[in-house]
Amino acid sequence: MYAVKHLSFLTCLLPDRRVQFSSFIIIFLFLQIDMDTIEVSNLNRQFLFRQSHVGQSKAQVARHAVLKFRPDISITPYHANVKDPDFNVDFFKQFKVVLNGLDNLDARRHVNRLCLAAGVPLVESGTTGFLGQVTVHVKGRTECYECQPKPAPKTYPVCTITSTPSKFVHCIVWAKDLLFAKLFGDKNQENDLNVHSKDGSSSSEQAEDVFERRKGENSEEYGNRIYDHVFGYNTELALSNEETWRNRNKPRPIYVKDIFSSELASQNGNLDKSSNGDPPPLSAMASLGLKNPQDLWSLEENSKVFLEALMLFFSKREKEIGNLSFDKDDQLAVEFVTAAANIRASSFGIPLHSLFEAKGIAGNIVHAVATTNAIIAGLIVIEAIKVLQHDIKNYRMTYCLEHPSRKMLIMPVEPFEPNKSCYVCSETPLDLEINTHRSKLRDVVDKIVKAKLGMNLPLIMHGSALLYEVGDDLEEDEVANYAANLEKVLSELPTPVTGGTILTVEDLQQELKCSINIKHREEFDEEKEPDGMILSGWIPPLAAEKNGKTAVDNEVSTSSASEAVPLLTEDDDDLRIIPTITGKKRKLSDVSSERKNKRKAEEPNSKNDVVMLDDDKF
């Protein structure tokens, strides 16, 4: 994470006599379930770490490394999730500036809101390959992190993913978001996989869910049955629609018996112990003797990895099943997804990929460039010093250019004023078109409040009536009441929500509040409006152009850039770069100049044909 890497630059570059190190906050932003420990892949770009540190906490190792050459400073490492309740607004108020280097959009938005609530300046940063940027966000002075649209991962039509994949990325999405989620994730989540077997599909009543493990069924039998269903029967089912394949190459159904004999299949997962008697690692590759992640596995090898990984999940990680989500740093999960995607790719005539390549696609990874990271780290220090010296007129948002123009590798631009339409920093009301007679409160909470507005602990009110709330301090009857409300149609809530209703939505952790105007609408286009609701007034992620693409939220994601700077985009074969700014924004100097010109226009004998660009008064 960048907070760790930046630490070395801060201690090296800070001028000791002008700015004291104690003036800075270094927040170690460790996110998700892995809590960010050091991996081998970090060593080529995070210079405080060595081979001996692999597996240890980044925050703690960075602290020890820096103290060796700056023992006079005080550093407190946090090996924790920045979204934990401990890191609340009061925590942020202790500091004069926050330096951000997170790896996902949700956490960045969360920190932005806490900084706004605490009134603490935020220096935001990120890199994507050769591209990178540093932006400064000061409440009331500049735009906040959410004032402009941010790049989002490209999405694909469900019909393409489930029925007619034509690229390997389609197979990865199918394996990661559908198959992995169905086998190991929340069983109550809806899924677009066909779950009924050939025998069960003909019964009119409750057909058996093929993904449910049968009583007395061992891991090997279950794995073979799942393999035959998703790669054999489901492919045959797709072939039954002849119109679909009129102008496409037909896929080939693949069954376990087609790959290896039942005797070989039964031997697939029998490597119970390593040669020295120690338990085997939780890796299908290791169990099968596959060592190089850059090797291209055959169909037989992919099939063995698939079955072995599934068996290891159910035999060694059974307690986690039902709560798992794909994590690019979970070796067994990456192996399973790679194998499943390759088997599906083989069925549909798509070139296979190595585990190394598949992991990059599944994790939306653009591999880091050490020199870009170093440049961005230095720029962060420069802006942090300006913030501490209250040198507002010299704040800059600076962008690294992949293709330098006029021999400029980096391009600084003045910060822009806050977006008056931003619901986060300007409290502009939002509009929600929804069918209040069909949609449930759960739809609003999951698809709007959490997914689009990024609230973690939402509270929803209609006037003085509290419709929904979450928190550890609720009584049992309150929890039950709010849970019951989630399943009610909006118009049938205790305080009905209909057209013209104004909902107040608040996140107490982020100290963020906004209003949503409800507009009743009867019909929605299922293809163009699959959620059955439209939210207006928020800043959505950048959408892909036709035959174009959006940037992705990578290992260290990018922020919005200036109008002249494109963002690096997802590595897909027929996609191209799109600009990040869709509307005209005003620099702070423009705002200051407009104010001065207005005053001069009111003075007698003033000349209006000369504009002075002077920031001294702002």
Side-chain angles (χ1 to χ4, degrees), residues 508-536:
L508 299 180
Q509 183 184 17
Q510 299 174 347
E511 293 194 13
L512 174 67
K513 180 188 290 187
C514 66
S515 299
I516 302 179
N517 300 324
I518 301 297
K519 297 182 179 181
H520 175 77
R521 178 173 160 186
E522 283 292 331
E523 300 296 334
F524 292 86
D525 188 315
E526 293 184 3
E527 288 293 326
K528 298 179 180 179
E529 303 157 337
D531 288 340
M533 58 188 77
I534 298 176
L535 183 67
S536 304

Side-chain angles (χ1 to χ4, degrees), residues 168-182:
F168 188 72
V169 66
H170 299 157
C171 300
I172 285 286
V173 173
W174 175 87
K176 180 181 71 168
D177 294 345
L178 297 183
L179 185 59
F180 185 91
K182 183 62 182 177

Side-chain angles (χ1 to χ4, degrees), residues 124-144:
E124 169 65 45
S125 68
T127 68
T128 304
F130 291 104
L131 300 184
Q133 78 291 316
V134 174
T135 57
V136 184
H137 307 281
V138 181
K139 182 177 181 180
R141 299 272 191 166
T142 73
E143 64 181 17
C144 79

Side-chain angles (χ1 to χ4, degrees), residues 109 119 167 172 191 193 215 243 306 317 336 454 520 537 574:
R109 295 197 301 181
K167 302 176 184 177
I172 285 286
N191 197 297
L193 280 178
K215 187 176 181 180
E243 187 64 30
F306 176 89
R317 297 174 61 175
F336 178 86
H520 175 77
D574 64 348

Side-chain angles (χ1 to χ4, degrees), residues 292-467:
N292 190 348
Q294 297 193 40
D295 285 344
L296 200 62
W297 300 334
S298 66
L299 177 58
E300 180 177 334
E301 288 171 326
N302 276 292
S303 299
K304 287 183 177 181
V305 171
F306 176 89
L307 294 170
E308 180 74 4
L310 191 146
M311 188 198 72
L312 286 173
F313 269 118
F314 277 94
S315 62
K316 304 296 184 181
R317 297 174 61 175
E318 191 169 10
K319 292 182 180 179
E320 299 176 65
I321 293 176
N323 298 303
L324 283 170
S325 57
F326 177 80
D327 182 351
K328 63 180 175 61
D329 295 320
D330 183 336
Q331 175 67 16
L332 192 59
V334 172
E335 291 172 348
F336 178 86
V337 166
T338 298
N342 272 328
I343 299 168
R344 185 164 174 83
S346 179
S347 178
F348 282 84
I350 300 169
L352 308 189
H353 285 60
S354 68
L355 182 135
F356 178 80
E357 295 169 321
K359 179 179 179 179
I361 297 171
N364 287 332
I365 297 172
V366 176
H367 296 286
V369 178
T371 48
T372 307
N373 293 346
I375 291 169
I376 293 302
L379 291 170
I380 290 172
V381 176
I382 291 171
E383 295 306 321
I385 291 174
K386 294 176 188 176
V387 170
L388 292 176
Q389 294 178 334
H390 304 289
D391 190 8
I392 297 174
K393 68 178 182 179
N394 285 319
Y395 288 172
R396 291 295 181 269
M397 305 195 303
T398 309
Y399 303 91
C400 289
L401 307 180
E402 185 175 13
H403 304 290
S405 59
R406 299 193 301 277
K407 297 183 178 181
M408 291 177 61
L409 176 63
I410 58 176
M411 185 179 76
V413 297
E414 293 181 46
F416 298 102
E417 66 171 339
N419 183 350
K420 295 179 180 179
S421 298
C422 177
Y423 75 94
V424 176
C425 64
S426 300
E427 299 182 0
T428 303
L430 303 166
D431 294 324
L432 177 63
E433 296 180 49
I434 190 170
N435 189 318
T436 58
H437 302 311
R438 287 205 303 257
S439 297
K440 298 179 179 179
L441 181 61
R442 179 182 294 280
D443 298 324
V444 176
V445 171
D446 291 344
K447 297 179 181 179
I448 300 298
V449 177
K450 291 183 177 180
K452 293 187 176 179
L453 302 186
M455 294 189 177
N456 303 313
L457 301 173
L459 178 152
I460 303 177
M461 297 187 69
H462 178 191
S464 60
L466 188 56
L467 301 178

